[in-house]
Amino acid sequence: MNYWLFKSEPESWSWRQQKAKGAAGQEWDGVRNYQARNFMRAMKVGDRGFFYHSNKERAVVGVVEVAAAAHPDSTDPTGTWDCVDIVAVAEMPNPVTLDMVKAEPELAGMVLAKNSRLSVQPVAEAEWRKVCRMGGLEKA
DNA sequence: GCCAACGTTGGC
DNA sequence: GCCAACGTTGGC
């Protein structure tokens, strides 16, 4: 199983909205970046991901699961872009902020800390476990 | 609100 | 194929 991070501006799509979707899942559409697209193409059903709020909040707020592998983005008429479907599976008891990530030496290698502009990113297993622990999730 | 970082576009 | 110009993202 692989781990990922999905970044969203809460103003356009928030964790609250994702949770409200429940098991119905949500197309992670609107991504227009080749690197991000390629990561989504590499995802498998059952992979886990962090749900990160960018801009004002800047924190990992929840955990999601990939519910459908990459398929054409229904909002893209050109057929260039793909997306996966995700469902909310757990909420961080304590959101892990970007500041916390940057202050933690074990997380110095996280893409989140190094490349702030990439909206879909891979997360190493050790990083995954560390962030879960910091957020108050024993396992996710 | 500003600006740095990054990706994309288009002229040559 | 290079690179300057431009647009966008997101942290500060």
Side-chain angles (χ1 to χ4, degrees):
Chain A
M1 132 133 55
N2 286 304
Y3 300 98
W4 312 94
L5 183 144
F6 297 88
K7 188 182 299 181
S8 182
E9 298 182 38
E11 289 79 14
S12 46
W13 183 257
S14 69
W15 173 243
R16 170 186 292 272
Q17 289 171 291
Q18 182 68 53
K19 266 196 308 183
K21 276 272 179 172
Q26 171 66 29
E27 260 197 347
W28 200 253
D29 56 27
V31 173
R32 300 292 182 265
N33 173 284
Y34 288 103
Q35 254 187 300
R37 183 195 68 180
N38 293 340
F39 286 133
M40 288 197 288
R41 286 180 172 176
M43 293 179 189
K44 294 192 172 63
V45 172
D47 278 359
R48 293 276 162 120
F50 287 132
F51 193 107
Y52 175 83
H53 276 166
S54 65
N55 288 343
K56 262 208 124 172
E57 202 173 335
R58 270 168 285 132
V60 174
V61 292
V63 171
V64 296
E65 184 171 310
V66 176
H71 57 82
D73 182 333
S74 65
T75 67
D76 170 34
T78 72
T80 307
W81 303 104
D82 289 349
C83 64
V84 295
D85 293 1
I86 61 172
V87 295
V89 295
E91 181 161 292
M92 284 288 169
N94 313 303
V96 179
T97 67
L98 181 62
D99 287 345
M100 288 162 69
V101 168
K102 287 189 165 172
E104 174 54 59
E106 287 179 47
L107 300 178
M110 272 191 86
V111 180
L112 185 64
K114 292 192 306 186
N115 182 359
S116 61
R117 301 195 20 157
L118 187 57
S119 62
V120 177
Q121 331 177 342
V123 174
E125 192 179 348
E127 295 164 351
W128 178 269
R129 278 195 252 103
K130 180 68 183 172
V131 172
C132 284
R133 258 182 281 129
M134 290 166 73
L137 284 179
E138 274 313 305
K139 53 174 190 154

